[in-house]
Amino acid sequence: MQKIVTKNPEETFELGKHIGKRLQKGDIVCLVGDLGAGKTAFSKGIGEGLEVVDYITSPTYTIINEYHGRLPLYHFDVYRLNDTEEMEELGYEEYFFGDGVVVVEWADLIKDIIPDNAIWVTINRTMIEDEREIEIKVS
Ligand code: ADP
Ligand code: MG
């Protein structure tokens, strides 16, 4: 387990980028943290690390956005899902066990279907406004 403190959104982006550079086919990154914690900021960094050229936006309303980089990037935001059955309807297995990298915002809401060996990234606010404590571990 690793704990890192970032002092602004750029540092969170850079941490995401650092990890994105090292991701391999089949990797699943699970992001946990409140609204505004920095999950999307971190995801944008992952995209940069994966050499995605398109601008990454939050897929809150679409549940999933797909990008093309060094590897395909499947960016989920499951905040608005009512249950994991909706993930089945989306055909999530094609993405989770596919040819790319998966990033899931609010992954704790669907933890039943997250495979072992996923990379869990938990982002918490601290007492200082633009500071975040980021914990990274493999399940
Ligand atoms: P989430 O996807 O978790 O809801 P976002 O990444 O969309 O969160 O938004 C995070 C917000 O917090 C942004 O407005 C960003 O500018 C702000 N912020 C402040 N400090 C940080 C930090 N250290 N890391 C990430 N975001 C930060
Ligand atoms: Mg978000």
Side-chain angles (χ1 to χ4, degrees), residues 3-4 11 16 22 41 44-45 59 83 97 99 104 106 113 115 120 130 132:
K3 254 187 192 170
I4 298 127
E11 284 188 16
R22 290 158 180 77
K44 286 173 194 270
D83 49 46
F97 307 106
D99 53 355
V104 187
W106 295 99
I113 61 163
W120 286 84
D130 285 345
R132 301 289 188 270

Side-chain angles (χ1 to χ4, degrees), residues 49-80:
L50 283 167
E51 298 158 40
V52 169
V53 178
D54 285 349
Y55 186 72
I56 293 178
T57 57
S58 172
T60 305
Y61 295 95
T62 52
I63 311 291
I64 175 167
N65 285 337
E66 194 172 328
Y67 300 94
H68 301 280
R70 167 170 74 74
L71 292 166
L73 167 62
Y74 307 116
H75 183 201
F76 287 78
D77 182 327
V78 300
Y79 185 64
R80 278 168 202 281

Side-chain angles (χ1 to χ4, degrees), residues 8-25:
N8 50 56
E10 292 74 28
E11 284 188 16
T12 298
F13 176 94
E14 284 303 322
L15 183 60
K17 180 174 171 183
H18 180 83
I19 287 164
K21 279 186 181 169
R22 290 158 180 77
L23 291 175
Q24 294 170 3
K25 177 183 152 188

Side-chain angles (χ1 to χ4, degrees), residues 6-13 33-42 58 77 105-106 123 125 129-132 134:
T6 65
K7 298 202 176 313
N8 50 56
E10 292 74 28
E11 284 188 16
T12 298
F13 176 94
D34 291 342
L35 210 60
K39 300 181 294 302
T40 299
F42 191 91
S58 172
D77 182 327
E105 296 194 31
W106 295 99
I123 310 178
R125 293 171 190 275
E129 193 175 350
D130 285 345
E131 203 175 86
R132 301 289 188 270
I134 305 181

